[in-house]
Amino acid sequence: MSIPANTRSFRIRLALQTILVSGALVAAFGIAAWWYASQTLERSVDDRIIAPAQRVWSRIDPYTTDEEFKTIADLVFGTSPAHDATNAVLVVQEHTQGETLFATPNAPKDLDVYFRACFPTLEEINRVPPEGAPGMPGGRRRLGRPPGAEFDDLLGLPPAPGPSPPEGQELPFRPQMPMVREPTTFTARSGGIDWRFGAFGSPSYTIFIGLSLTDYYAEVNRMARWYAGAGALGLMCAGLAALWTSKRAMRPLERVVSTAQRLTASDLAERIHLSQDDDREFAQLIDVLNGMMERLQASFQQAVRFTADASHELKTPLAIMLATLDDAVRHSQPGSAEHDHFVSLFDEANRLKKITQCLLLLSQADAGRLPTHPETYDLSADLGRLVEDGEILCEQAGLTLETQIQPGIEVHADRALLRQVFQNLLSNAIKYNRPNGKVTLRLARGENCVLFALTNNGPAIPAENQARLFERFFRGDSAHTRKTDGFGLGLNIATELARANGAELRLVRSDGDETTFEVRLNCPPTL
């Protein structure tokens, strides 16, 4: 049985489904991990903004001048020519006019709209307590090391500017910069570069400290590429593992298929090997199939024995009936009703004898006990007798016989069985021909084979009948009438006899005015 063109491999489909599921899981995990990592990086950027902001805020007060801002910026960011420029910027903007009081050299110039949106409202400014109120953020504090300056030594920063008090003298107070609102962060784009800013507002001005997101985006892209590469590698490994796993899982099915392919009607003794490594489900399947084959073998052998025994037992009664009817026909008056009755019975008994012989032959073929006596002989010369018989039969039927026999073709086969194959084909070609038709017999040597072809001009065989043409007892006339003599076993017998000789019988074509059957025989080893 041929495999349909659209049949899909279960092994490949299992591997693809595994890759699909694994890919979805890997993609979901990768996206979640990338999102979490990018959020962590974004929070780290905000932390990198708040850290210098705290250092700047601890060094300023309401009276800090531009020169002092420059000094603080140089200390915190290293923006002077004596330091390497960093990607951090400091911008100080006044609230009333929105003017920039101070900006580091690397600060973007076109972000005033973003800056103004972060200015505190008048209501927020009015909520700030007046300077000097005790215990309030706007109160006064002692000079000296500002809050957070204890980390300057660890960070490698120089001490905050300002006069040092004399030894033993009480430190004077200076005003503390009040915080109007909690620091806010935002992202802005300038000159093709994205910046992350933190806004820190006082009653008079707002300080903006920003970091370029170039390194952040580079890190995010690097993580995305890493996740994509790892995901692709994971999918490839999952696919290879799925193929390997499916191959191991399909081994029992491969044994089932190979064993089933070796099963024939003449040999049902094959059984599927059961391995200790087989899974329970496959072991159950193999056990069921082996039991089914045992039952089929027993049933088939019983049917073959019955057919052979019945055919053999019918031979003697049929021979007696034929002899008795033949004697009755000879002793009856020709032309009488009794004579016609005996002749009809004789014909039917003779027909029954032929069917019995055919059934016996087929039962032997099914059981693999068809006796064959192969020999190497000249087939071209042997076909001479068939051609002579064909010419007589064609002349009686008003047909023309044409032959195209290549001389000197030798084959290795059973002469009697192969001759019966050709006779059956010739008989059918004459029976199913049209008046004044033609029968063409060809024999030629092909590539590593010998081709025997028989063509007649009979009506085309319907397409729906061509697939069943070699079945037993199948005839083209659905009512099984006897308009054409026969009982539907000729082609089946010819097929079995050809197979017994290592040959193949097939229908080549049947359309229009021609129907062609072909027998392909293997050449003998000596050729």
Side-chain angles (χ1 to χ4, degrees):
M1 183 179 65
S2 60
I3 300 176
N6 61 347
T7 299
R8 296 173 297 179
S9 171
F10 174 75
R11 178 186 172 192
I12 300 299
R13 185 153 52 92
L14 179 62
L16 291 178
Q17 290 176 349
T18 303
I19 294 174
L20 181 62
V21 174
S22 302
L25 294 176
V26 169
F29 174 79
I31 292 173
W34 176 83
W35 177 86
Y36 178 78
S38 62
Q39 293 297 312
T40 303
L41 284 176
E42 185 176 338
R43 287 193 296 269
S44 70
V45 171
D46 291 344
D47 293 339
R48 289 170 61 191
I49 292 174
I50 293 175
Q54 290 175 342
R55 292 197 295 272
V56 170
W57 198 265
S58 65
R59 295 171 184 269
I60 64 175
D61 57 41
Y63 308 107
T64 302
T65 64
D66 289 353
E67 292 300 326
E68 290 173 337
F69 271 124
K70 291 179 182 179
T71 303
I72 294 171
D74 181 50
L75 290 174
V76 176
F77 300 110
T79 56
S80 68
H83 297 83
D84 294 331
T86 65
N87 59 355
V89 299
L90 172 63
V91 179
V92 182
Q93 286 207 341
E94 186 264 336
H95 294 163
T96 305
Q97 302 295 330
E99 296 180 356
T100 300
L101 301 179
F102 173 79
T104 54
N106 57 341
K109 310 299 182 183
D110 54 350
L111 298 180
D112 286 345
V113 176
Y114 294 96
F115 293 158
R116 290 175 182 270
C118 294
F119 288 168
T121 63
L122 184 60
E123 180 182 358
E124 290 174 329
I125 295 175
N126 293 333
R127 284 202 302 264
V128 178
E131 289 186 13
M136 302 301 295
R140 305 183 64 84
R141 62 182 179 183
R142 293 180 183 275
L143 291 173
R145 293 177 66 85
E150 60 271 13
F151 298 103
D152 288 351
D153 295 337
L154 297 176
L155 296 174
L157 298 176
S164 299
E167 185 176 358
Q169 183 178 352
E170 185 179 354
L171 295 176
F173 287 88
R174 67 182 177 90
Q176 180 180 352
M177 177 65 71
M179 184 75 71
V180 175
R181 62 163 67 159
E182 290 295 325
T184 58
T185 56
F186 63 92
T187 302
R189 187 172 181 83
S190 174
I193 299 176
D194 288 336
W195 295 85
R196 184 73 173 175
F197 278 94
F200 306 86
S202 72
S204 301
Y205 50 79
T206 300
I207 297 176
F208 297 94
I209 297 179
L211 287 175
S212 171
L213 295 179
T214 302
D215 294 340
Y216 164 75
Y217 287 153
E219 182 67 17
V220 170
N221 293 333
R222 185 188 69 82
M223 287 192 305
R225 289 192 296 271
W226 187 89
Y227 282 127
L233 180 62
L235 284 181
M236 184 176 66
C237 294
L240 294 176
L243 286 175
W244 179 80
T245 304
S246 60
K247 182 178 180 181
R248 287 183 58 87
M250 293 298 105
R251 284 179 181 174
L253 288 183
E254 292 175 357
R255 293 202 305 272
V256 171
V257 172
S258 61
T259 303
Q261 288 176 339
R262 293 194 299 269
L263 288 176
T264 61
S266 58
D267 185 11
L268 291 173
E270 285 281 350
R271 294 295 180 269
I272 304 171
H273 174 67
L274 185 61
S275 175
Q276 293 181 351
D277 297 332
D278 292 339
D279 296 327
R280 182 179 59 184
E281 293 80 5
F282 287 114
Q284 291 176 347
L285 175 63
I286 292 174
D287 186 61
V288 170
L289 291 176
N290 284 335
M292 180 188 67
M293 286 187 287
E294 289 179 1
R295 293 190 297 271
L296 287 176
Q297 182 183 17
S299 299
F300 186 78
Q301 289 177 347
Q302 183 179 3
V304 169
R305 284 195 301 269
F306 172 78
T307 304
D309 294 343
S311 301
H312 182 74
E313 293 297 329
L314 287 174
K315 289 174 62 176
T316 301
L318 284 174
I320 296 174
M321 289 174 59
L322 286 172
T324 303
L325 289 173
D326 181 64
D327 184 67
V329 169
R330 287 189 288 104
H331 288 83
S332 62
Q333 182 66 31
S336 63
E338 185 182 34
H339 181 272
D340 295 340
H341 182 66
F342 287 145
V343 169
S344 177
L345 289 176
F346 182 82
D347 292 338
E348 293 299 328
N350 194 42
R351 175 183 174 84
L352 184 58
K353 177 184 177 181
K354 292 180 180 178
I355 294 176
T356 303
Q357 292 174 343
C358 291
L359 290 176
L360 180 60
L361 184 64
L362 291 174
S363 65
Q364 292 174 334
D366 290 339
R369 296 194 298 267
L370 188 64
T372 57
H373 305 284
E375 58 179 315
T376 301
Y377 66 98
D378 190 339
L379 181 59
S380 301
D382 193 69
L383 285 179
R385 293 180 54 187
L386 180 65
V387 171
E388 293 177 1
D389 295 340
E391 288 177 345
I392 296 174
L393 295 175
C394 287
E395 183 179 357
Q396 293 176 354
L399 306 175
T400 303
L401 177 63
E402 294 184 359
T403 59
Q404 302 173 11
I405 301 177
Q406 183 178 341
I409 295 179
E410 293 186 348
V411 296
H412 186 75
D414 188 297
R415 187 194 301 258
L417 298 182
L418 196 58
R419 184 182 300 163
Q420 186 172 349
V421 173
F422 299 149
Q423 288 176 345
N424 286 2
L425 292 178
L426 180 60
S427 175
N428 284 346
I430 295 174
K431 286 180 184 178
Y432 301 100
N433 212 319
R434 61 185 56 185
N436 301 319
K438 181 176 63 174
V439 177
T440 303
L441 187 150
R442 290 186 294 270
L443 180 67
R445 189 186 306 277
E447 185 178 357
N448 299 325
C449 64
V450 174
L451 298 177
F452 173 88
L454 203 60
T455 304
N456 71 339
N457 296 127
I461 301 173
E464 62 272 14
N465 292 341
Q466 292 183 12
R468 303 185 56 195
L469 200 60
F470 297 95
E471 293 181 6
R472 296 177 185 179
F473 296 105
F474 176 78
R475 301 185 63 185
D477 52 335
S478 58
H480 295 279
T481 63
R482 295 190 184 180
K483 180 178 179 181
T484 303
D485 188 26
F487 36 87
L489 289 175
L491 287 177
N492 186 264
I493 291 176
T495 301
E496 295 294 342
L497 296 181
R499 186 180 294 117
N501 284 284
E504 179 187 7
L505 170 62
R506 64 190 185 98
L507 174 65
V508 177
R509 54 173 298 211
S510 181
D511 53 8
D513 292 335
E514 286 190 353
T515 297
T516 302
F517 286 89
E518 180 184 85
V519 179
R520 184 183 296 265
L521 301 98
N522 296 326
C523 292
T526 55
L527 293 181

